[in-house]
Amino acid sequence: EVKEETGIEVISFKLVLNEILPSSGCHRGHANHNWFVYQITRWCGEERNEEPEKHIFVQFLGEREIKDWVKRSEYDPVWFREILPRLGI
């Protein structure tokens, strides 16, 4: 799935968050979503969004870039309210 959507092949990763969190304006009307957030530590291939019409929100960021991204408010609010604080970012 990762390679199909991002162009990269994951070599090593770790699960950093798996929680059911409240949704914010889900277009399907769900009150909560089960989030799985992974840290990819090694990969091969060129990073890119292979399905921009399906995933306008795919980005490849380091911790510093994540902080800058949050400052620019280019995120789903659940990332700022719930996910990033749980990850200590």
Side-chain angles (χ1 to χ4, degrees):
E1 187 74 18
V2 173
K3 188 170 185 172
E4 179 181 307
E5 295 181 7
T6 67
I8 65 170
E9 182 178 341
V10 176
I11 297 170
S12 62
F13 67 94
K14 68 179 184 176
L15 178 65
V16 294
L17 181 81
N18 177 14
E19 292 189 40
I20 296 174
L21 300 172
S23 288
S24 171
C26 174
H27 68 280
R28 293 187 177 154
H30 299 288
N32 300 297
H33 287 286
N34 190 3
W35 285 83
F36 293 85
V37 179
Y38 297 90
Q39 179 182 15
I40 299 173
T41 54
R42 287 185 53 217
W43 69 90
C44 64
E46 185 179 330
E47 307 160 9
R48 61 185 173 274
N49 183 355
E50 293 285 0
E51 299 179 344
E53 69 287 345
K54 184 177 174 185
H55 301 289
I56 60 171
F57 192 67
V58 173
Q59 298 199 20
F60 299 89
L61 308 169
E63 186 173 336
R64 183 176 176 180
E65 293 167 309
I66 291 171
K67 289 176 182 176
D68 291 342
W69 169 69
V70 169
K71 288 177 187 173
R72 291 190 311 268
S73 302
E74 296 174 10
Y75 57 85
D76 181 327
V78 74
W79 281 93
F80 183 70
R81 283 194 329 266
E82 306 285 345
I83 297 171
L84 296 177
R86 284 172 168 75
L87 298 176
I89 297 174

